[in-house]
Amino acid sequence: MDLLGEHTVTTAEADRYAARVADLLEIFAGAAGTWPDDPHLERDPWGPVPRVGVSVKPTALAPRFGPLTAEEGLDEAVTRLRPILARARELGAAVTLDMEHYGVKDLTLELVSRLGSELPDGPVLGAVVQAYLRDSYGDLLRLVEWAERTRRAPLQVRLVKGAYWDTETVVARAEGWVSPVFEDKRETDANFERCARLLVARAGVVRPAFGSHNVRSLAYAVACARARGLHDGAVELQLLHGMAEPVHAALRRLGLRVRVYAPVGELVPGMAYLVRRLLENTSNESFIRHRFVQGEALESLVRPRGGRRAPSPARFPTPCPNGRRPTRRRPDRS
Ligand SMILES: Cc1cc2nc3c(=O)[nH]c(=O)nc-3n(C[C@H](O)[C@H](O)[C@H](O)COP(=O)(O)OP(=O)(O)OC[C@H]3O[C@@H](n4cnc5c(N)ncnc54)[C@H](O)[C@@H]3O)c2cc1C
């Protein structure tokens, strides 16, 4: 379950969000307790897989969660998450920290490492890595090394491509910053596969999870696991509720372990979520659009796409609109 919410600006709003996460955990755990056993879904090679998983947005938990007030924001987020994680451990639930825009990426990884170091035995803690970021392979490597040194329970890592491509591109261009995201979709795809290889190679230290609706990306993850001699249950495939439903059905038919990520909450806090999904599904680069709107053949969509396979260096500076001279400014992240 993904509790809908975006950046809060007051303490009262952040408290409310934290209270709603706590309620969601209780309600969800109560409901999931009545489900029949399904060993296929509930075990992986590293132990029990929680039925209950809740994803939270760090910026909704702490109004000052940002690069200019990093320490205060981090402390606020830790304070609100501590009781949630303690309860999740009692309930056997997982908590994942969603990854948002680039400005809070380092801070979110720092939050994962603070919480994960405080609670090395669990609950199941999840982090997200966005393959569209030029930094992501290095971040993933550091995350895996940190998990190996610190955690006794594996860290769950959800690999995604990233939901803020338009925002990152527009903001970087407007500010005259180097864009943190790849500018060619083929680079994101190639990097996703590179990160997938790393995740699967370090499975056990991490629990690999793949959030995508792109059949090639999902198949690549499963093929990596098989090539390493792992059974299919070693990787979790995650899809969004209501999107690419034929893909959900096909993965289930193949007996793969699928988790559906469902947004819950109210319409207004959900507007930004809806806009991200709209941008994604209508983008020229979208797998969903190519397959389900334009009806392109699957064989051509899963074929390795030609072109640049290795990540290209960041173009610097990003061309500025309205003829301003490019400057060497840097993003205001910590
Ligand atoms: C279960 C689940 C959880 C998710 N959680 C998060 C999360 O915590 N944080 C988050 O940011 N996203 C999250 N996402 C969204 C995800 O990052 C993608 O936006 C979405 O899944 C679309 O990617 P795809 O692999 O399904 O499809 P595809 O169509 O293969 O890829 C589309 C993606 O490619 C990238 N892209 C598009 N155009 C370009 C370009 N010109 N150059 C380079 N790259 C480009 C963008 O990332 C775009 O979203 C989640 C998705 C799922 C399914």
Side-chain angles (χ1 to χ4, degrees):
M1 293 278 176
D2 164 28
L3 184 63
L4 289 170
E6 303 289 324
H7 196 171
T8 51
V9 290
T10 67
T11 305
E13 274 182 327
D15 284 340
R16 227 174 7 253
Y17 183 81
R20 294 182 67 216
V21 174
D23 286 348
L24 177 62
L25 259 181
E26 299 297 336
I27 295 167
F28 190 5
T34 65
W35 298 344
D37 288 345
D38 189 341
H40 176 64
L41 293 178
E42 292 181 54
R43 284 205 79 75
D44 71 6
W46 305 284
V49 172
R51 290 181 175 186
V52 175
V54 173
S55 286
V56 295
K57 296 227 169 359
T59 64
L61 281 166
R64 287 179 292 177
F65 200 80
L68 302 180
T69 46
E71 270 313 306
E72 296 89 336
L74 211 47
D75 288 346
E76 268 184 276
V78 169
T79 306
R80 290 203 178 86
L81 276 166
R82 231 180 237 136
I84 292 173
L85 290 178
R87 186 65 185 136
R89 190 165 55 186
E90 289 166 6
L91 295 169
V95 177
T96 298
L97 303 180
D98 271 359
M99 188 57 84
E100 303 174 77
H101 56 279
Y102 189 62
V104 294
K105 186 261 294 176
D106 288 348
L107 216 48
T108 304
L109 294 174
E110 176 66 28
L111 182 60
V112 170
S113 77
R114 277 228 202 150
L115 293 165
S117 307
E118 261 187 36
L119 298 160
D121 294 310
V124 172
L125 181 66
V128 179
V129 171
Q130 297 160 319
Y132 67 6
L133 290 181
R134 296 174 191 279
D135 296 352
S136 53
Y137 188 80
D139 286 338
L140 179 58
L141 206 52
R142 280 185 289 278
L143 201 57
V144 171
E145 283 165 2
W146 164 83
E148 183 157 46
R149 278 195 313 276
T150 320
R151 303 268 307 161
R152 284 188 284 273
L155 177 77
Q156 181 164 69
V157 180
R158 176 198 304 152
L159 180 65
V160 297
K161 287 176 193 150
Y164 304 80
W165 189 86
D166 301 76
T167 314
E168 303 295 3
T169 305
V170 169
V171 170
R173 187 164 290 202
E175 299 282 359
W177 293 335
V178 175
S179 175
V181 294
F182 293 117
E183 286 159 33
D184 184 328
K185 168 72 160 52
R186 290 169 300 185
E187 292 178 293
T188 298
D189 288 338
N191 194 46
F192 183 96
E193 294 181 6
R194 186 173 177 231
C195 292
R197 291 194 294 275
L198 172 59
L199 264 184
V200 168
R202 305 308 304 277
V205 173
V206 289
R207 284 176 134 147
F210 300 91
S212 175
H213 304 116
N214 182 321
V215 171
R216 178 179 163 95
S217 304
L218 294 168
Y220 192 90
V222 174
C224 275
R226 289 181 181 170
R228 211 201 129 189
L230 295 170
H231 70 72
D232 289 349
V235 297
E236 180 165 300
L237 307 180
Q238 301 186 346
L239 291 92
L240 298 179
H241 174 73
M243 284 180 57
E245 278 165 343
V247 178
H248 296 218
L251 297 174
R252 283 193 58 185
R253 264 202 312 279
L254 290 168
L256 297 164
R257 193 157 64 75
V258 179
R259 189 183 293 270
V260 176
Y261 177 105
V264 290
E266 290 155 11
L267 182 66
V268 172
M271 288 310 283
Y273 175 91
L274 288 176
V275 168
R276 284 197 292 277
R277 301 289 84 84
L278 265 176
L279 285 172
E280 230 164 71
N281 293 339
T282 54
S283 141
N284 290 338
E285 300 288 0
S286 158
F287 178 90
I288 288 187
R289 174 173 170 167
H290 285 289
R291 175 70 186 137
F292 297 111
V293 180
Q294 294 169 197
E296 276 180 43
L298 204 49
E299 292 67 28
S300 90
L301 289 172
V302 296
R303 200 174 292 145
R305 293 175 73 191
R308 283 174 289 173
R309 300 287 298 172
S312 66
R315 264 196 290 144
F316 186 83
T318 309
C320 293
N322 61 35
R324 272 195 286 144
R325 256 190 57 212
T327 54
R328 292 193 157 255
R329 285 185 280 164
R330 309 226 345 123
D332 54 354
R333 68 191 177 86
S334 53

